[in-house]
Amino acid sequence: MAVLVIADHDNATLKDNTHKVVTAAQAIGGDIDILVAGTNTAAIAAEAAKITGVRKVLTAESAELGQGLAEAVADLIVGLAGGYDAILTPATSQGKNFSPRVAAKLDVAQISDVSEVVSADTFTHPIYAGNAMETVQSSDAKKVLTVRPTSFKAAAEGGSAAIESVAAPGAPAKTKFVDQKLVKSARPDLGAAKIVVSGGRAMGSAEEFQKVIEPLADKLGAAVGASRAAVDAGYAPNDYQVGQTGKVVAPELYIAIGISGAIQHLAGMKDSKVIVAINKDGDAPIFQVADYGLVADYKGAVPELMSELAKIGK
Amino acid sequence: MKVLVPVKRVIDYNVKARVKADQTGVDLANVKMSMNPFCEIAVEEAVRLKEKGAATEIVAVSVGPQQAQETLRTALAMGADRAILVQTDQDLEPLAVAKVLKAIIAEENPELVMMGKQAIDGDNNAVGQMLSALLDWPQATFASAITVGGGKATVTREVDGGLQTIDVSLPAVVTADLRLNEPRYASLPNIMKAKKKPLDVKELGSLGVDTAPRLKVVKVSEPPKRTAGIKVETAADLVSNLKTAGVL
């Protein structure tokens, strides 16, 4: 039994999601290898090699892998698949892009967004926006899974796995990278942040969103999130979106401001440790999942919260 | 350019799914069903491509029960030219759906497959990627902008932390993300016209595609419930509670 974990990284540093998917791999059992595909892989592989319980770290380097072109990444993984019984990828937008392609090339099912490993062939994952949990048993010889990182604890560090390089596939003939615009932010990554402050439709405008949500987030060292309604209305960029169709987060503290709590939003944050809701509608569904609810207009409540936080040295 | 748009009939976006008491699945009896929201965005984009003169014909396809004809009529009312239903009462897995679509594509020869990134029932987010793999076509997932011309599509994609733009040569599979467009409501005259547009029904069995399930559903259960906590009166109360909870 051997499991291949596809590392999550940004061509500079290894992301914690990798450690979490290794934990899922440990639940399946067998030898665990990590694949680092991209550019600047030596530094990233050195990080991955420290994860406890890893047999070896494979690296493959090319411009197309660094650009995350699905055709290139899938070709690489399919080429390595012969040596593995399971291939686990973090369910990030990058992972969701190439993993089903790998599954189809191998003629196996993909099980998406796995939140629990029941046994080596049986897995649980959310369906219907997290309103139901489906447990499925796979009859395929190889299992291809995307894994929801927030559902697993990060594997510890302390190992020193061997690092081996493998050949990168040729550039895809039919797909060409044009450019990439990444938002540079001093704030923590939404998926990995300990605190998330999210704003909803009540903000009313992009200016108001920036004026209310962002200073509070910065005061707390938090990442910024948004409901789908706020994203749809253009108050916040799409990659802020928390929910079924956006990011799934599980921080220590989630603060929802002016968010009513639509099913699809709750699906993206209900595993947070502590949830705070500030909303002037006391009947808003968000209060049904909130540990602490403050029924108030955010316009008064957020400045008060800012000054209370200042009093405790935030 | 011919555009193929696969669409799925799913539980309506505003309806909360309820797990059956015997844990065999989600209760869909007497529940409002609609076109999957991401499929609506895909249909809209195809119609806009036609309005711009980039597309010449739009063929909507659905794989599902007889009632999926209603979903196809919605696509026709939005502006698709004709529709194909691959009829089955089986609940097909994404790999099987991709294989069925591949068989339809072999007959239709579209230059672009424009589809939603995921269906809101299974939430798998897999069919588009699988279809492009089976066809050996390029894929451009999670699209937020598309321009077509010169034998290629230039697609801006929603990626972690921002946007990426790629060129894919046609034929290609493009999957729609939320912000690609805002789908139109079909007008009454267009709904009436849609009733007269051609809708072919094919039996799944007639395509000769292996759709055997690879997964056995062991159970479908309720997610762990979260209970409501307490209401606080002031921001000061909130901060002191959060300090006590150890999250500040």
Side-chain angles (χ1 to χ4, degrees):
Chain A
M1 189 85 183
V3 182
L4 182 64
V5 170
I6 315 301
D8 182 22
H9 64 83
D10 56 4
N11 295 312
T13 53
L14 185 71
K15 301 248 180 105
D16 194 38
N17 285 340
T18 314
H19 299 68
K20 293 174 176 172
V21 178
V22 166
T23 300
Q26 285 164 347
I28 292 174
D31 294 321
I32 298 168
D33 293 350
I34 297 179
L35 172 65
V36 178
T39 55
N40 194 23
T41 56
I44 301 160
E47 291 295 311
K50 290 184 202 158
I51 302 176
T52 308
V54 172
R55 179 176 63 175
K56 61 184 174 184
V57 177
L58 305 175
T59 64
E61 185 129 353
S62 78
E64 292 75 23
L65 292 172
Q67 292 152 358
L69 296 186
E71 292 82 351
V73 181
D75 279 358
L76 172 66
I77 297 169
V78 170
L80 296 169
Y84 298 95
D85 304 286
I87 298 165
L88 274 57
T89 300
T92 58
S93 51
Q94 162 68 347
K96 290 174 182 177
N97 186 35
F98 64 75
S99 183
R101 197 173 177 94
V102 172
K105 291 275 185 197
L106 296 172
D107 193 31
V108 302
Q110 168 177 284
I111 304 164
S112 302
D113 260 327
V114 168
S115 58
E116 188 191 346
V117 175
V118 178
S119 72
D121 68 357
T122 305
F123 310 94
T124 302
H125 68 148
I127 56 173
Y128 288 90
N131 284 305
M133 304 301 293
E134 183 186 54
T135 302
V136 292
Q137 183 175 27
S138 166
S139 59
D140 284 318
K142 274 187 213 306
K143 322 295 183 221
V144 172
L145 318 179
T146 61
V147 175
R148 178 169 281 194
T150 54
S151 299
F152 296 89
K153 284 205 168 67
E157 294 194 352
S160 56
I163 299 172
E164 231 174 72
S165 83
V166 296
K174 300 168 187 168
T175 305
K176 229 177 59 207
F177 174 84
V178 179
D179 69 7
Q180 184 139 298
K181 291 192 185 80
L182 298 185
V183 181
K184 286 201 176 62
S185 170
R187 296 191 188 107
D189 183 48
L190 181 55
K194 287 205 159 53
I195 303 178
V196 174
V197 179
S198 284
R201 183 159 42 194
M203 299 299 117
S205 71
E207 295 70 38
E208 186 74 358
F209 190 96
Q210 282 159 15
K211 206 176 85 191
V212 174
I213 303 299
E214 300 191 357
L216 177 58
D218 291 341
K219 203 172 205 39
L220 292 165
V224 177
S227 68
R228 175 175 162 168
V231 170
D232 272 355
Y235 305 161
N238 191 55
D239 58 325
Y240 280 18
Q241 193 195 142
V242 172
Q244 176 191 24
T245 53
K247 287 204 171 60
V248 176
V249 300
E252 299 277 305
L253 174 59
Y254 187 90
I255 305 180
I257 300 172
I259 292 179
S260 64
I263 299 165
Q264 97 95 25
H265 185 74
L266 301 183
M269 45 65 86
K270 65 182 168 54
D271 293 331
S272 305
K273 193 172 156 219
V274 172
I275 297 174
V276 170
I278 300 176
N279 199 308
K280 67 178 174 188
D281 174 9
D283 295 326
I286 190 80
F287 288 117
Q288 290 164 19
V289 299
D291 298 285
Y292 304 103
L294 178 57
V295 182
D297 190 332
Y298 76 85
K299 285 183 175 137
V302 173
E304 277 171 35
L305 181 56
M306 294 280 280
S307 70
E308 289 300 324
L309 287 168
K311 284 185 200 162
I312 61 160
K314 291 277 175 187
Chain B
M1 180 179 73
K2 188 198 270 192
V3 184
L4 191 93
V5 187
V7 295
K8 188 175 188 186
R9 176 180 184 264
V10 298
I11 189 168
D12 186 82
Y13 188 74
N14 292 309
V15 177
K16 188 179 188 299
R18 299 201 183 276
V19 172
K20 286 187 200 165
D22 65 359
Q23 296 202 327
T24 56
V26 165
D27 194 356
L28 296 177
N30 303 317
V31 166
K32 186 182 177 205
M33 304 291 279
S34 300
M35 187 190 294
N36 177 45
F38 289 102
C39 302
E40 277 187 331
I41 296 171
V43 174
E44 174 66 33
E45 195 64 21
V47 174
R48 289 185 189 188
L49 286 171
K50 195 176 170 195
E51 287 168 348
K52 279 185 228 160
T56 51
E57 188 188 16
I58 301 167
V59 183
V61 184
S62 193
V63 184
Q66 194 202 342
Q67 297 93 314
Q69 287 196 22
E70 293 159 24
T71 312
L72 289 168
R73 291 287 172 204
T74 304
L76 294 169
M78 288 175 72
D81 297 293
R82 59 191 176 86
I84 301 167
L85 172 63
V86 179
Q87 193 168 317
T88 174
D89 288 329
Q90 265 180 276
D91 191 13
L92 299 187
E93 291 171 9
L95 182 63
V97 174
K99 288 179 178 182
V100 170
L101 292 174
K102 186 187 175 193
I104 295 295
I105 285 162
E107 293 172 4
E108 292 287 336
N109 292 307
E111 279 173 274
L112 179 66
V113 175
M114 183 74 236
M115 58 193 290
K117 73 165 181 178
Q118 83 190 61
I120 61 163
D121 48 5
D123 280 335
N124 286 298
N125 191 336
V127 175
Q129 297 91 315
M130 287 181 155
L131 177 62
S132 83
L134 297 176
L135 291 164
D136 231 347
W137 288 7
Q139 70 178 51
T141 53
F142 322 148
S144 65
I146 303 169
T147 52
V148 178
K152 65 172 190 185
T154 301
V155 180
T156 301
R157 307 180 50 240
E158 308 265 4
V159 296
D160 299 313
L163 297 170
Q164 179 190 63
T165 303
I166 58 172
D167 278 345
V168 289
S169 62
L170 300 178
V173 177
V174 176
T175 75
D177 213 322
L178 205 58
R179 294 201 302 179
L180 181 57
N181 60 50
E182 234 175 86
R184 70 193 65 194
Y185 290 102
S187 66
L188 190 59
N190 285 340
I191 292 170
M192 298 312 288
K193 264 191 252 170
K195 291 185 178 163
K196 295 192 182 115
K197 289 184 179 176
L199 193 163
D200 285 348
V201 179
K202 294 172 190 282
E203 281 301 319
L204 174 67
S206 71
L207 294 174
V209 175
D210 169 23
T211 57
R214 308 300 184 84
L215 306 175
K216 188 179 92 183
V217 177
V218 178
K219 65 170 181 182
V220 174
S221 55
E222 293 264 0
K225 278 226 165 36
R226 222 189 148 100
T227 48
I230 58 165
K231 292 261 169 73
V232 294
E233 295 300 320
T234 63
D237 281 353
L238 178 59
V239 169
S240 86
N241 271 297
L242 292 178
K243 266 191 89 173
T244 311
V247 291
L248 279 184

